Structures are given as C-alpha cells and as structure tokens.
Amino acid sequence: MARPVLHIGNKRYSSWSLRAWLVLRKAGIAFDEAMVPLHGADLKQRLSALSPGHTVPVLEWQGGVFWDSLAIAEWAAEHTPALWPEDRQQRAMARSAVAKMHSGFFALRDQCGMDLGRTPKAIGLNEATRADIAAVQALWNDVASVDGPFLFGPWTIADAFFTPVADRFRAYDIPLHASAQTYCDALLSDKDFLDWRADALLERMPYPGITDE
Ligand SMILES: N[C@@H](CCC(=O)N[C@@H](CS)C(=O)NCC(=O)O)C(=O)O
C-alpha cells in the first residue's frame, strides 16, 4: 500500500494525534509522520491549509486528505479488522465506548489537559470533572473483558481512545478503583505508547501558558 503520511500535533500535548498514531502502529501500517506545532499566530491558517477539518490528526493517502481520529481509526480498521473485537456484540460495545470518548467527558478533557511530561500532581477537581472520572471508570467496569489486559481482551481501537485518559489520571494523580488502575497501567506500559512518550519527552517547543517541569 502507498505509504500514508500522518500529520500530528505536539506529541506531549496532542491527545487526538496520539490516538490515531497508536491505531496506525497497531495496524502494522508503515507511515510517515509530519509534525504540526500547535502554537503560533498562524496555527489556524496552517491547520486550514492542511485539511477541511482544521485540526490534527490528518491522514494523507493516495491523494486524499482525511481528518478526525475516529475516521482515521476506521480507515485503519478496513486494512486490519482485528483493530475492533472479533465478536459482533463486543464490536458494537467497543464502538459505543469509543463514541462516548470521542464526543464526551468534556469536563475531564478541559480541566486535565494531556501533558505527558507532567510530574504527577493533584489539582482541585471541579464537580463535573469528578463526575467524568467516575463515569469513565463505570464505563470501563461495565464493558471490561476478563480475557486480557485491555478493555476487550486483546488491544483494540477502544484502548487507543482511552490511553490519553490513562495518562491524565497519572498526571493529575487521580486515585482510581483497583481494576481501573490495572487497566491504566496496561495502557501506559504498552510498547507503542512508550515509543510515543519517549519522543514527547524530548520535545522542547514553546507552548503558551505551559512550562516544562
Ligand atoms: N474530533 C477531532 C478533534 C481533533 C482536535 O481537536 N485536535 C486538536 C489537537 S489534539 C487540534 O487540532 N487543535 C487545534 C485547534 O483546534 O485549533 C479528532 O478526533 O481528530
């Protein structure tokens, strides 16, 4: 297959880019990466020039330009169907969990931005964020498979979507139920995630309002 290019944001902060990148890695698709630094007065202009979605990640493939982490994940799953659970019920459940992450948990996302370089430190969580934290864990508990380290047993797209959440829980020192902690530990010790994280920790880019720790 022609080698796609994945345009991503800063590895330290761009949670949606991380999701798409993990999915392509797990799909075994060889791809090139192009970094779009997510700062600067011309950011909007650069994103608009890249795709009609005006955000990263963006996938360029065979003359086409596709955006949105979920669309990119579905594109990869056409190549590697095992990115979704094999069982039809489980597959529908995995898609439900991914949809919830993709279009929800706004308070958690707002208050606890992904920062892979952050030394774990608790902050005063607002009520909506605390509700999201409880809801994420309840969702994991409801769908969790007994067969493996990941949400549906083997690694699936659902795990890509929750990896940034696992790091938010680490970074903001959020206490979790034992099973949720075990799941987060599995996500954060995944080899591909660690590759991404190693690159993220080498990034030294100006990012307004955020200082390196
Ligand atoms: N729904 C989109 C969200 C993508 C998104 O918000 N990306 C952020 C970076 S993590 C971005 O491009 N922000 C720049 C901006 O919105 O100006 C997806 O799943 O890809």
Side-chain angles (χ1 to χ4, degrees), residues 13-17 38 43-44 47 54-57 67-70 102:
Y13 304 110
S14 183
S15 65
W16 296 108
S17 301
L38 292 175
L43 174 60
K44 267 196 176 354
L47 289 171
H54 306 243
T55 53
V56 281
W67 64 96
D68 191 280
S69 54
L70 185 48
H102 194 246

Side-chain angles (χ1 to χ4, degrees), residues 10-165:
N10 307 58
K11 287 191 169 179
R12 182 167 165 177
Y13 304 110
S14 183
S15 65
W16 296 108
S17 301
L18 166 59
R19 292 169 171 106
W21 186 93
L22 278 175
V23 170
L24 293 197
R25 265 285 182 102
K26 299 291 185 189
I29 296 171
F31 63 99
D32 293 320
E33 289 174 30
M35 166 74 78
V36 182
L38 292 175
H39 55 80
D42 61 343
L43 174 60
K44 267 196 176 354
Q45 209 180 327
R46 284 185 284 117
L47 289 171
S48 305
L50 197 55
S51 91
H54 306 243
T55 53
V56 281
V58 167
L59 188 77
E60 241 185 293
W61 180 61
Q62 291 192 342
V65 173
F66 318 110
W67 64 96
D68 191 280
S69 54
L70 185 48
I72 295 168
E74 289 289 10
W75 173 86
E78 287 178 15
H79 175 272
T80 307
L83 289 171
W84 288 116
E86 195 179 351
D87 175 78
R88 196 170 183 187
Q89 298 279 351
Q90 292 276 294
R91 199 159 58 245
M93 184 68 101
R95 285 198 162 103
S96 304
V98 164
K100 178 70 185 165
M101 185 66 244
H102 194 246
S103 60
F105 301 128
F106 292 111
L108 174 63
R109 281 157 53 185
D110 271 8
Q111 207 189 351
C112 304
M114 187 180 92
D115 178 358
L116 298 182
R118 184 182 163 93
T119 303
K121 197 173 359 166
I123 57 169
L125 300 169
N126 64 43
E127 200 180 320
T129 302
R130 279 189 270 118
D132 275 356
I133 291 165
V136 169
Q137 293 183 83
L139 186 155
W140 288 350
N141 195 51
D142 285 348
V143 305
S145 160
V146 289
D147 297 332
F150 297 115
L151 208 53
F152 294 89
W155 194 96
T156 68
I157 288 169
D159 302 302
F161 274 70
F162 288 117
T163 296
V165 172

